Amino acid sequence: MSFTLAIVGRPNVGKSTLFNRLVGRKLALVDDQPGVTRDLREGEAKLGHMRFTVIDSAGLEEATDDSLQGRMRRLTERAVEMADACLFLIDARAGVLPADEVFADILRRKNAHVILAANKAEGRAGESGLLEAYALGLGEPIRLSAEHGEGMTDLAQVLAPLI
Ligand code: GDP
Ligand code: MG
């Protein structure tokens, strides 16, 4: 059975950018059932010598303010249930926002196996956000730049024992 990694986190942290980098062009839709699953994209990831399934939660960006929190929560819970581990992304440039704390709480409550990563950490702009990420209490954050492909070796090292 294939190892499944869910990429979770609030909108705009870079989940889909990382998903696309891991999956390349081999992208598939999970299914088109009504409800939250239509907003989860699944693909076959390639990282170093490893192959695994990766899930991206999409469709949150166009949600209205009223429904955003509930939809984010349901989608994230569903992704956690489908996954063996969750890659929890924060935006190192923005630092830890209240919305990030909401996701951290969901992951804790679900007893998810969490891998924390601070994305957009290329250059020096992400340094304070990286420090803030430690305070989430979810372990040492991996420093990533999904856009520039930085930190992928560190991610591979953390994933290797799990796969
Ligand atoms: P999602 O909403 O979490 O799926 O985030 P997206 O993948 O759509 O990315 C949101 C924005 O952040 C886009 O404009 C991306 O180009 C940008 N972005 C993603 N990864 C990085 C990164 O590593 N560094 C920088 N500077 N921007 C990034
Ligand atoms: Mg996205």
Side-chain angles (χ1 to χ4, degrees):
M1 217 179 77
S2 170
F3 176 87
T4 299
L5 179 74
I7 305 173
V8 299
R10 66 173 177 80
N12 210 40
V13 293
K15 297 182 297 299
S16 298
T17 305
L18 182 61
F19 177 89
N20 290 338
R21 179 170 286 281
L22 288 169
V23 169
R25 281 149 44 82
K26 282 191 288 170
L27 159 67
L29 230 64
V30 181
D31 56 46
D32 47 23
Q33 282 174 27
V36 295
T37 51
R38 71 169 172 220
D39 292 327
L40 297 175
R41 291 193 304 163
E42 188 178 284
E44 282 310 307
K46 192 175 143 190
L47 182 60
H49 298 298
M50 294 180 285
R51 301 286 182 279
F52 53 94
T53 301
V54 64
I55 297 172
D56 177 26
S57 38
L60 297 174
E61 290 75 9
E62 66 266 28
T64 64
D65 283 348
D66 283 352
S67 66
L68 185 61
Q69 186 121 337
R71 285 186 69 201
M72 287 200 307
R73 178 177 294 277
R74 283 193 297 279
L75 259 183
T76 302
E77 286 174 348
R78 179 80 184 107
V80 169
E81 286 158 12
M82 290 167 73
D84 298 297
C86 297
L87 183 61
F88 177 32
L89 291 193
I90 68 139
D91 178 337
R93 287 164 187 251
V96 173
L97 303 184
D100 297 310
E101 307 272 8
V102 171
F103 280 93
D105 285 343
I106 294 170
L107 295 172
R108 277 196 203 95
R109 213 165 295 149
K110 287 295 238 179
N111 260 318
H113 185 120
V114 179
I115 300 159
L116 177 63
N119 189 38
K120 310 193 187 181
E122 74 273 6
R124 300 191 62 109
E127 279 173 11
S128 64
L130 194 68
L131 287 176
E132 284 181 25
Y134 278 92
L136 284 168
L138 291 168
E140 187 182 343
I142 302 171
R143 184 192 164 125
L144 278 188
S145 172
E147 199 157 270
H148 298 272
E150 295 175 14
M152 303 305 281
T153 307
D154 292 338
L155 177 60
Q157 259 169 26
V158 171
L159 286 174
L162 306 176
I163 291 176

